[in-house]
Amino acid sequence: MGRNVLITGGTGGIGTALVRRFALAGDRVFFTFCHSKEAAEQLSGETGAAALRADVSAEGGADAVVEKVIAEAGSIDVLVCNAGVSLNRMITDTTDEEYRRVMDTNMYGVFAAVRAAMKDMFWKRRGAIVTVSSIWGQSGAACEAVYSASKAAVIGFTRAAALEAAGAGVRVNCVSPGMIDTPMNGHLSDDEKAEICREIPLGRQGAPGEVAETVFFLCGDGASYITGQVIGVNGGWRI
């Protein structure tokens, strides 16, 4: 029998790959979207996954979607916190509104979704949670200070959550993608991408599906003794 899986941010590059991977395995997949209704409906039609409109950055947004999944499916076995936004801006040019938008989506959204799902997982004494950080959360990036800070916070939160959840049989891990071929990197020119790829030992960008495979593994029985870890999916890139 397939698992009940909730993926936040299901219409982006990595999110779409995640929905496809879990659906392919026969899991019952629910995914959130905020603005991309057409993309969500198309993905739902192709995979059979249920699309749920939700703004995880808003107070009560994540709680409501978790409650809806539990009401429809009975429980949540797997939670993947993938919803996120980027910000390419110097610190001196960053507004308070931009700061809050990034932190509320990338960190509060993770916190709220995990908090809500954990209550169900703790009661059933099983579950797997994977958060999505970034290589910039580990090293920092110029002109992406707020984004880097939000993703660093995800790492710290994941490690702490894993300690709280272990006694209940719930595992919490994090994936930290490097240079992945997604629309989020659309602000980079071809020359800039080529320059970055020259610094990556494997010599190329990663594919969204490669991140999805790592997440899928971490949520399965093969990773039953893995928790509190940050897994880099970065082609060997070290910043």
Side-chain angles (χ1 to χ4, degrees):
M1 180 180 294
R3 300 164 295 181
N4 299 321
V5 179
L6 172 59
I7 299 167
T8 67
T11 55
I14 293 175
T16 297
L18 286 165
V19 172
R20 293 185 185 284
R21 183 63 185 89
F22 281 94
L24 181 65
D27 292 320
R28 185 176 182 183
V29 180
F30 300 81
F31 69 93
T32 71
F33 71 98
C34 192
H35 304 294
S36 307
K37 182 179 179 181
E38 184 176 344
E41 290 177 344
Q42 181 176 344
L43 182 60
S44 180
E46 292 173 357
T47 63
L52 306 173
R53 185 188 291 274
D55 181 359
V56 298
S57 71
E59 185 174 347
D63 299 82
V65 78
V66 167
E67 290 173 6
K68 185 169 184 177
V69 171
I70 293 173
E72 290 190 21
S75 67
I76 292 179
D77 302 308
V78 172
L79 170 67
V80 182
C81 297
N82 176 68
V85 294
S86 62
L87 179 66
N88 188 249
R89 190 89 78 244
M90 289 184 65
I91 296 171
T92 51
D93 295 331
T94 302
T95 66
D96 289 351
E97 182 180 0
E98 288 172 329
Y99 171 85
R100 283 190 288 267
R101 179 178 68 90
V102 173
M103 295 301 294
D104 285 351
T105 303
N106 295 359
M107 183 57 241
Y108 173 76
V110 171
F111 158 73
V114 170
R115 178 181 60 184
M118 268 187 170
K119 294 175 183 178
D120 179 67
M121 291 180 175
F122 281 10
W123 184 66
K124 294 183 173 62
R125 301 194 67 79
R126 70 173 188 272
I129 298 171
V130 176
T131 63
V132 179
S133 180
S134 165
I135 192 171
W136 302 132
Q138 296 175 287
S139 64
C143 297
E144 294 192 63
V146 175
Y147 176 77
S148 298
S150 70
K151 291 300 188 178
V154 168
I155 291 173
F157 176 78
T158 300
R159 287 172 168 157
L163 296 176
E164 291 189 21
V170 177
R171 297 182 298 103
V172 189
N173 289 290
C174 178
V175 294
S176 179
M179 182 67 173
I180 308 298
D181 187 12
T182 69
M184 188 173 282
N185 290 319
H187 65 282
L188 297 172
S189 68
D190 289 342
D191 288 342
E192 288 172 326
K193 291 178 182 178
E195 182 179 352
I196 292 172
C197 287
R198 284 192 288 270
E199 299 175 3
I200 299 172
L202 288 183
R204 63 174 177 84
Q205 297 183 80
E210 292 173 306
V211 180
E213 286 292 343
T214 305
V215 173
F216 184 80
F217 166 73
L218 289 172
C219 295
D221 292 340
S224 58
Y225 198 55
I226 300 175
T227 195
Q229 302 305 305
V230 180
I231 309 299
V233 187
N234 55 32
W237 196 17
R238 294 291 182 268
I239 302 300

